Amino acid sequence: AQKVTQAQTEISVVEKEDVTLDCVYETRDTTYYLFWYKQPPSGELVFLIRRNSFDEQNEISGRYSWNFQKSTSSFNFTITASQVVDSAVYFCALSEAVLTGNQFYFGTGTSLTVIP
Amino acid sequence: DVKVTQSSRYLVKRTGEKVFLECVQDMDHENMFWYRQDPGLGLRLIYFSYDVKMKEKGDIPEGYSVSREKKERFSLILESASTNQTSMYLCASSSGRKSYNSPLHFGNGTRLTVT
């Protein structure tokens, strides 16, 4: 079973639109971390944010915001007023503390295209 | 900034060749990882290592081996390359031995084509 599901394979938006990337995870651990990574066309995955399972506060960083809801096992990522530079593949990942040690589980990624 | 360097950006090899993919990190990280990335499949873990001379199998280790003789270097070896190993290979490192809360830092990737 997929531990991290990113149901949206590809999304296209027009510049300045808001866009939300969905991430649903599955774990039996009570202690875990969730991550978002960005992979621009250059190929290198860039770490964006980390959230632990005990902290459900939403986080905002500039035009980026993240909504973590344990009740629905979701960790969604919203880009406000999208820009062309946001075009990339975005990955959500889960790291479990107890059951699997240091293994990360990645979703299959959402490819975002921002049209100028 | 953490720097993870993969020796080749693009590589073309023939079926049956032995292939070495090299990865070096400069931040004294304990943990190193090799992933392959394929369209529609995301990132899949091949091997990882928590320490020098230690290695553990990931989800898809078949056809691969690894070597970690020095802390900063983690090599992925394809003993006999096959066309189904054509893929993007990503190396990553993280701090804190077996730490589950440290983010991974990735290299630029090596796009390997096996013909």
Side-chain angles (χ1 to χ4, degrees):
Chain A
Q2 190 76 14
K3 280 189 170 286
V4 178
T5 302
Q6 294 179 255
Q8 304 150 306
T9 306
E10 295 181 0
I11 300 176
S12 291
V13 298
V14 176
E15 200 170 21
K16 296 184 183 169
E17 285 185 352
D18 298 347
V19 58
T20 295
L21 310 182
D22 298 332
C23 173
V24 174
Y25 63 92
E26 179 184 329
T27 181
R28 287 180 292 155
D29 273 0
T30 55
T31 305
Y32 54 89
Y33 274 77
L34 296 162
F35 301 78
W36 275 96
Y37 287 84
K38 174 182 180 180
Q39 186 180 38
S42 60
E44 180 178 343
L45 273 85
V46 177
F47 163 65
L48 295 177
I49 190 171
R50 168 183 57 193
R51 174 65 80 219
N52 77 56
S53 52
F54 298 107
D55 182 3
E56 286 193 74
Q57 270 195 322
N58 290 334
E59 178 145 348
I60 298 174
S61 175
R63 297 184 297 106
Y64 294 173
S65 63
W66 290 269
N67 179 247
F68 175 31
Q69 291 195 343
K70 286 178 80 169
S71 60
T72 56
S73 296
S74 65
F75 185 44
N76 297 336
F77 173 27
T78 297
I79 302 174
T80 304
S82 60
Q83 299 177 2
V84 172
V85 293
D86 296 326
S87 295
V89 181
Y90 291 86
F91 290 94
C92 181
L94 163 73
S95 178
E96 297 170 316
V98 177
L99 294 183
T100 56
N102 195 22
Q103 228 187 97
F104 278 66
Y105 295 92
F106 284 85
T108 52
T110 297
S111 178
L112 173 65
T113 301
V114 180
I115 303 164
Chain B
D1 269 358
V2 176
K3 187 76 173 171
V4 179
T5 304
Q6 295 183 231
S7 55
S8 303
R9 188 82 171 101
Y10 298 95
L11 215 50
V12 180
K13 295 292 181 181
R14 293 199 172 171
T15 301
E17 278 193 79
K18 190 169 186 175
V19 182
F20 293 86
L21 302 184
E22 306 288 347
C23 175
V24 177
Q25 50 94 3
D26 67 357
M27 283 300 291
D28 202 35
H29 281 174
E30 290 82 356
N31 313 309
M32 295 190 75
F33 307 80
W34 275 106
Y35 287 87
R36 65 177 280 177
Q37 182 180 8
D38 300 288
L41 297 177
L43 277 70
R44 293 180 293 166
L45 182 63
I46 305 172
Y47 268 97
F48 58 107
S49 169
Y50 294 137
D51 205 345
V52 176
K53 296 195 186 294
M54 290 183 68
K55 61 184 179 184
E56 297 201 30
K57 294 180 180 179
D59 298 318
I60 52 164
E62 296 78 20
Y64 304 94
S65 62
V66 290
S67 172
R68 193 161 180 206
E69 296 297 318
K70 292 185 178 181
K71 190 175 185 180
E72 68 271 17
R73 187 179 297 269
F74 193 36
S75 303
L76 180 68
I77 303 154
L78 286 66
E79 296 290 342
S80 178
S82 63
T83 55
N84 63 11
Q85 292 178 310
T86 292
S87 186
M88 171 71 90
Y89 290 87
L90 295 166
C91 177
S93 71
S94 70
S95 62
R97 189 170 183 273
K98 294 193 178 185
S99 174
Y100 68 98
N101 62 353
S102 297
L104 300 181
H105 298 269
F106 284 87
N108 277 344
T110 296
R111 186 165 292 284
L112 172 67
T113 301
V114 182
T115 60

PDB file of all heavy atoms in Angstrom, chain B residues 8-9 14 45 54-55:
ATOM      1  N   SER B   8      28.551  12.301 -12.121  1.00  0.00           N
ATOM      2  CA  SER B   8      28.147  12.464 -13.517  1.00  0.00           C
ATOM      3  C   SER B   8      26.717  12.950 -13.598  1.00  0.00           C
ATOM      4  O   SER B   8      25.867  12.525 -12.830  1.00  0.00           O
ATOM      5  CB  SER B   8      28.263  11.135 -14.280  1.00  0.00           C
ATOM      6  OG  SER B   8      29.563  10.622 -14.202  1.00  0.00           O
ATOM      7  N   ARG B   9      26.448  13.828 -14.524  1.00  0.00           N
ATOM      8  CA  ARG B   9      25.088  14.304 -14.731  1.00  0.00           C
ATOM      9  C   ARG B   9      24.354  13.384 -15.717  1.00  0.00           C
ATOM     10  O   ARG B   9      23.190  13.103 -15.530  1.00  0.00           O
ATOM     11  CB  ARG B   9      25.122  15.728 -15.305  1.00  0.00           C
ATOM     12  CG  ARG B   9      23.760  16.380 -15.378  1.00  0.00           C
ATOM     13  CD  ARG B   9      23.377  16.955 -14.034  1.00  0.00           C
ATOM     14  NE  ARG B   9      22.164  17.755 -14.153  1.00  0.00           N
ATOM     15  CZ  ARG B   9      20.957  17.318 -13.790  1.00  0.00           C
ATOM     16  NH1 ARG B   9      20.814  16.096 -13.317  1.00  0.00           N
ATOM     17  NH2 ARG B   9      19.898  18.103 -13.908  1.00  0.00           N
ATOM     18  N   ARG B  14      26.483   0.392 -21.801  1.00  0.00           N
ATOM     19  CA  ARG B  14      25.934  -0.721 -22.577  1.00  0.00           C
ATOM     20  C   ARG B  14      25.484  -1.838 -21.647  1.00  0.00           C
ATOM     21  O   ARG B  14      26.017  -2.012 -20.543  1.00  0.00           O
ATOM     22  CB  ARG B  14      26.978  -1.237 -23.544  1.00  0.00           C
ATOM     23  CG  ARG B  14      27.315  -0.224 -24.616  1.00  0.00           C
ATOM     24  CD  ARG B  14      27.972  -0.863 -25.786  1.00  0.00           C
ATOM     25  NE  ARG B  14      28.116   0.089 -26.866  1.00  0.00           N
ATOM     26  CZ  ARG B  14      28.811  -0.140 -27.954  1.00  0.00           C
ATOM     27  NH1 ARG B  14      29.425  -1.308 -28.107  1.00  0.00           N
ATOM     28  NH2 ARG B  14      28.885   0.766 -28.901  1.00  0.00           N
ATOM     29  N   LEU B  45      13.686   3.853  -2.896  1.00  0.00           N
ATOM     30  CA  LEU B  45      14.957   3.703  -2.194  1.00  0.00           C
ATOM     31  C   LEU B  45      15.649   2.416  -2.597  1.00  0.00           C
ATOM     32  O   LEU B  45      15.065   1.334  -2.524  1.00  0.00           O
ATOM     33  CB  LEU B  45      14.705   3.718  -0.683  1.00  0.00           C
ATOM     34  CG  LEU B  45      15.907   3.620   0.222  1.00  0.00           C
ATOM     35  CD1 LEU B  45      16.829   4.824   0.033  1.00  0.00           C
ATOM     36  CD2 LEU B  45      15.446   3.520   1.679  1.00  0.00           C
ATOM     37  N   MET B  54      28.745   0.354   6.566  1.00  0.00           N
ATOM     38  CA  MET B  54      27.427  -0.203   6.838  1.00  0.00           C
ATOM     39  C   MET B  54      26.513   0.069   5.653  1.00  0.00           C
ATOM     40  O   MET B  54      26.610   1.119   5.004  1.00  0.00           O
ATOM     41  CB  MET B  54      26.839   0.417   8.099  1.00  0.00           C
ATOM     42  CG  MET B  54      27.552  -0.011   9.360  1.00  0.00           C
ATOM     43  SD  MET B  54      26.765   0.662  10.814  1.00  0.00           S
ATOM     44  CE  MET B  54      25.210  -0.222  10.791  1.00  0.00           C
ATOM     45  N   LYS B  55      25.627  -0.870   5.388  1.00  0.00           N
ATOM     46  CA  LYS B  55      24.665  -0.671   4.314  1.00  0.00           C
ATOM     47  C   LYS B  55      23.402  -1.443   4.640  1.00  0.00           C
ATOM     48  O   LYS B  55      23.454  -2.484   5.306  1.00  0.00           O
ATOM     49  CB  LYS B  55      25.233  -1.137   2.969  1.00  0.00           C
ATOM     50  CG  LYS B  55      25.596  -2.626   2.938  1.00  0.00           C
ATOM     51  CD  LYS B  55      26.225  -3.001   1.622  1.00  0.00           C
ATOM     52  CE  LYS B  55      26.604  -4.474   1.628  1.00  0.00           C
ATOM     53  NZ  LYS B  55      27.311  -4.867   0.373  1.00  0.00           N
TER      54      LYS B  55
END
